[in-house]
Amino acid sequence: MKKALLGLLFMSIFAILAACGNGDDSASDSGDNSGNGDLWQEVQDKGEITVGTEGTYAPFTFHDDNGELTGYDVEVMKEVGKRLDLDVKFEETQWDSMFSGLNSARFDVIANQVGKGENDERVGQYDFSDPYTKSQSVVVTAADNNDIKAIEDVEGKTSAQSLTSNYNAVATEAGAQIEGVEGLAQSIQLIEQGRVDLTFNDKLAVLDYLNNTEKDAPVKIAFETGEPNETYFTFRKDSGEIVEQFNKALDEMREDGTLADISTKWFGEDVNK
């Protein structure tokens, strides 16, 4: 009798644990559209798409003097939303939390100059729209630094980088020692203070910062490096038709000149060619 009761007790405990395990899996899946292909229908039903962005990365996504979120990526995203008949809701977060926010379905898509990663490392993990920006990566140093003129000069130097950015991978591959920062502004400040030697970043972002935010900054673009970078709207893997809908909207914007107009407004030229 005791053995029978003990066996029933173990079976009951096992059943409870198994039920809890299945419940956890279901809860995890319910917060993630990956693999179900329903994201397009979901945003249509809501009439709204939620977009992850930094809000601190001028001229792509930042706040103007009135505190309004603006920038190249913000305007392109709003235009895509308009053409898809969707309201656009922006959720701001730091870059280092951007992909975890997408993975957890805090937002549906990222609009924040996302590349496919070093050697396309993100391709297997996420879905991407067609590219909507092309730019060049550059190395920034102190204005009086004449020791760093080419990629081979970076080895052993200290580079300020956001730890999850493409540029961190580039700096690491070049042999730099990495000092983690939250963004470009902090990188420039550390260069000015002599605490780091350089930073890798996007040429358009650097030019905007030097022309509009800190015009007299004692720094310079030391050299351009690598191939031009393309950036994409980024979705969870297997998001399905919504990617095609984004591409359709972007195609229309290229054909009617809207994308070129937005680009020229922010950069003085079409950065999609």
Side-chain angles (χ1 to χ4, degrees):
M1 177 68 72
K2 289 182 179 179
K3 289 182 178 180
L5 290 174
L6 195 58
L8 288 173
L9 178 61
F10 281 133
M11 289 175 65
S12 299
I13 292 172
F14 179 80
I16 292 170
L17 290 174
C20 290
N22 291 335
D24 288 345
D25 290 343
S26 299
S28 175
D29 291 342
S30 67
D32 186 354
N33 292 300
S34 176
N36 60 24
D38 292 332
L39 183 56
W40 173 236
Q41 186 63 54
E42 180 182 325
V43 297
Q44 283 186 299
D45 291 344
K46 293 190 301 184
E48 179 182 84
I49 187 166
T50 305
V51 182
T53 196
E54 277 183 283
T56 57
Y57 189 32
F60 305 106
T61 163
F62 68 104
H63 289 264
D64 62 21
D65 292 339
N66 296 318
E68 295 294 322
L69 183 66
T70 187
Y72 173 77
D73 285 51
V74 173
E75 285 201 19
V76 174
M77 183 66 245
K78 285 182 176 179
E79 182 64 26
V80 170
K82 177 181 177 182
R83 292 174 187 243
L84 297 183
D85 197 26
L86 296 171
D87 292 333
V88 178
K89 177 184 177 183
F90 290 97
E91 288 281 348
E92 296 179 47
T93 189
Q94 291 182 355
W95 172 255
D96 288 347
S97 303
M98 196 68 67
F99 287 96
S100 62
L102 181 64
N103 295 340
S104 64
R106 177 182 169 193
F107 30 80
D108 306 309
V109 60
I110 298 173
N112 205 97
Q113 289 293 292
V114 178
K116 291 185 176 179
E118 187 71 9
N119 300 318
D120 290 345
E121 63 185 326
R122 294 179 183 142
V123 171
Q125 304 176 56
Y126 299 97
D127 285 347
F128 297 90
S129 71
D130 291 337
Y132 64 96
T133 317
K134 292 183 181 180
S135 186
Q136 187 75 41
S137 62
V138 296
V139 167
V140 179
T141 68
D144 60 357
N145 187 326
N146 297 314
D147 296 328
I148 302 175
K149 299 178 181 179
I151 194 70
E152 56 266 25
D153 300 326
V154 171
E155 185 172 3
K157 303 298 193 299
T158 303
S159 186
Q161 305 296 154
S162 296
L163 296 181
T164 57
S165 74
N166 294 349
Y167 300 110
N168 178 51
V170 175
T172 300
E173 186 176 348
Q177 302 296 315
I178 304 301
E179 177 74 21
V181 295
E182 293 182 359
L184 177 60
Q186 188 179 1
S187 297
I188 298 294
Q189 290 170 3
L190 293 184
I191 292 173
E192 293 175 358
Q193 295 165 5
R195 294 169 57 187
V196 301
D197 301 302
L198 62 114
T199 187
F200 285 77
N201 212 297
D202 179 84
K203 182 178 181 179
L204 296 176
V206 171
L207 289 175
D208 177 79
Y209 184 87
L210 297 180
N211 290 332
N212 297 301
T213 304
E214 194 173 356
K215 295 182 179 180
D216 298 323
V219 299
K220 66 181 179 183
I221 293 176
F223 61 92
E224 296 182 352
T225 180
E227 296 296 323
N229 303 307
E230 293 181 323
T231 56
Y232 312 80
F233 293 116
T234 308
F235 304 83
R236 288 182 293 281
K237 192 67 178 175
D238 299 324
S239 285
E241 185 182 351
I242 192 167
V243 182
E244 299 171 14
Q245 293 293 334
F246 264 62
N247 289 341
K248 180 181 177 181
L250 288 171
D251 285 342
E252 293 174 354
M253 291 164 65
R254 289 189 189 91
E255 290 174 4
D256 65 22
T258 302
L259 199 54
D261 288 343
I262 296 173
S263 177
T264 301
K265 170 184 174 179
W266 288 101
F267 308 112
E269 62 182 77
D270 187 353
V271 297
N272 301 281
K273 296 179 179 179

